[in-house]
């Protein structure tokens, strides 16, 4: 039976899932590529649906696959599926337009971050509920970062102490995200970038290693490994001692 999301929740989560996954290589749209025998999108949506304050989920599906995606996700939760666009920003805009009245907090979360824990969804939502207009999960940058010329010569070393790698879910007061998308001109790779252009303060919350974006074949292999480890831990904690 389809699980009900929380009808008293105040959070809508938009899930852009319409990308081709060019960097992952051949094999169909990335959100429908599998780990542990299930599509990345199924893993991502299952974790979002487990976050207690989620009222609505809107998925932007690969164009042409919306009906298949609707059927795929129906057993997890009652949710809305729209056709995505040619860019991530267009996919997010299409999903945002489909959010019903009610939720005043909107999160945008990449389907490609399939192993993101529900607790991170809640942490970002909590930051908005407690007064921030926008909040993003971040991790410190671990590698030394250098600026390099087009012909491969080092121009300088960047001070990494002030740098952060940015993840999703990114959270916004609904009116702030709507205004930022209405004013958007050039396509950007994240939504916080759009609200920054509006002069809105964006707060940071600690990210999660599990929210890695599955981008290249190595990431897919890593995610499969992490999922197997999680499943064996669950078996170990739920089975009776023999
Ligand atoms: N996305 C989307 N619509 C697009 C492009 C991307 O909804 N037109 C989504 C992807 O499905 C993904 C998220 O945005 O969940 C982050 O994008 P990315 O990791 O770049 O995915 P792809 O664009 O599919 O990958 P690539 O850039 O390698 O083609
Ligand atoms: Mg992309």
């Amino acid at each position: 039976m389809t699980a009900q999301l929380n009808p008293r929740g105040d959070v809508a989560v938009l899930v852009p899932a319409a990308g081709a996954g060019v960097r992952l290589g051949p094999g169909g749209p990335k959100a429908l590529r599998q780990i542990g025998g299930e599509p990345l999108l199924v893993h991502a949506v299952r974790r979002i649906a487990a976050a207690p304050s989620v009222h609505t989920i809107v998925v932007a599906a690969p164009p042409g696959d919306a009906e298949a995606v609707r059927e795929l996700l129906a057993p997890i939760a009652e949710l809305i599926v729209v056709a995505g666009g040619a860019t991530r920003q267009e996919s997010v805009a299409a999903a945002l337009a489909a959010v019903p009245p009610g939720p005043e907090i909107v999160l945008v979360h990449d389907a490609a971050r399939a192993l993101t824990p529900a607790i991170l969804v809640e942490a970002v939502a909590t930051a908005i509920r407690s007064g921030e207009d926008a909040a993003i999960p971040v991790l410190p940058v671990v590698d030394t970062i250098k600026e390099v010329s087009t012909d491969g010569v080092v121009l300088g070393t960047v001070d990494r102490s002030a740098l952060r790698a940015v993840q999703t879910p990114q959270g916004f007061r609904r009116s702030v995200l709507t205004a930022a998308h209405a004013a958007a001109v050039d396509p950007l790779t994240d939504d916080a970038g759009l609200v920054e252009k509006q002069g809105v303060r964006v707060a940071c919350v600690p990210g999660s290693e599990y929210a890695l974006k599955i981008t290249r074949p190595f990431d897919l292999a890593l995610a499969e490994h992490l999922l197997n480890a999680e499943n064996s831990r669950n078996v170990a904690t739920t089975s009776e001692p023999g």
Side-chain angles (χ1 to χ4, degrees), residues 216-237:
R216 289 164 294 220
F218 179 84
D219 307 319
L220 194 67
L222 175 60
E224 178 103 47
H225 173 79
L226 292 170
L227 187 67
N228 285 340
E230 182 183 280
N231 288 341
S232 4
R233 269 199 310 278
N234 289 345
V235 168
T237 51

Side-chain angles (χ1 to χ4, degrees), residues 19-23 30 88 189 213 215:
V22 172
R23 288 169 290 178
K30 181 160 71 177
R88 182 186 183 280
T189 53
K213 184 155 73 73
T215 306

Side-chain angles (χ1 to χ4, degrees), residues 120-144:
L120 188 60
V121 175
E122 286 300 318
V124 173
T126 300
I128 306 303
R129 204 173 291 123
S130 59
E132 299 291 351
D133 280 336
I136 60 173
V138 302
L139 289 178
V141 173
V142 291
D143 291 312
T144 297

Side-chain angles (χ1 to χ4, degrees), residues 56-235:
T56 299
I57 299 173
V58 185
V59 174
D65 288 322
E67 197 44 53
V69 163
R70 208 167 278 129
E71 278 169 32
L72 182 69
L73 299 177
I76 304 178
E78 266 180 42
L79 44 70
I80 300 166
V81 178
V82 299
T87 63
R88 182 186 183 280
Q89 195 164 302
E90 285 174 30
S91 297
V92 173
L96 183 58
V99 178
E104 286 307 319
I105 298 173
V106 178
L107 269 49
V108 186
H109 183 46
D110 295 330
R113 300 182 188 271
L115 299 184
T116 302
I119 195 168
L120 188 60
V121 175
E122 286 300 318
V124 173
T126 300
I128 306 303
R129 204 173 291 123
S130 59
E132 299 291 351
D133 280 336
I136 60 173
V138 302
L139 289 178
V141 173
V142 291
D143 291 312
T144 297
I145 304 287
K146 292 195 192 287
E147 194 185 348
V148 178
S149 69
T150 46
D151 53 351
V153 176
V154 170
L155 299 173
T157 304
V158 181
D159 174 14
R160 77 173 174 216
S161 65
L163 299 181
R164 300 290 180 273
V166 175
Q167 303 181 317
T168 73
Q170 300 190 342
F172 308 91
R173 196 163 306 291
R174 183 173 180 165
S175 54
V176 166
L177 186 62
T178 307
H181 270 271
V185 198
D186 302 321
L188 298 182
T189 53
D190 80 340
D191 301 277
L194 291 180
V195 315
E196 286 158 35
K197 284 190 183 254
Q198 301 297 104
V200 173
R201 168 190 146 105
V202 179
C204 295
V205 304
S208 163
E209 304 281 4
Y210 286 88
L212 80 150
K213 184 155 73 73
I214 298 166
T215 306
R216 289 164 294 220
F218 179 84
D219 307 319
L220 194 67
L222 175 60
E224 178 103 47
H225 173 79
L226 292 170
L227 187 67
N228 285 340
E230 182 183 280
N231 288 341
S232 4
R233 269 199 310 278
N234 289 345
V235 168

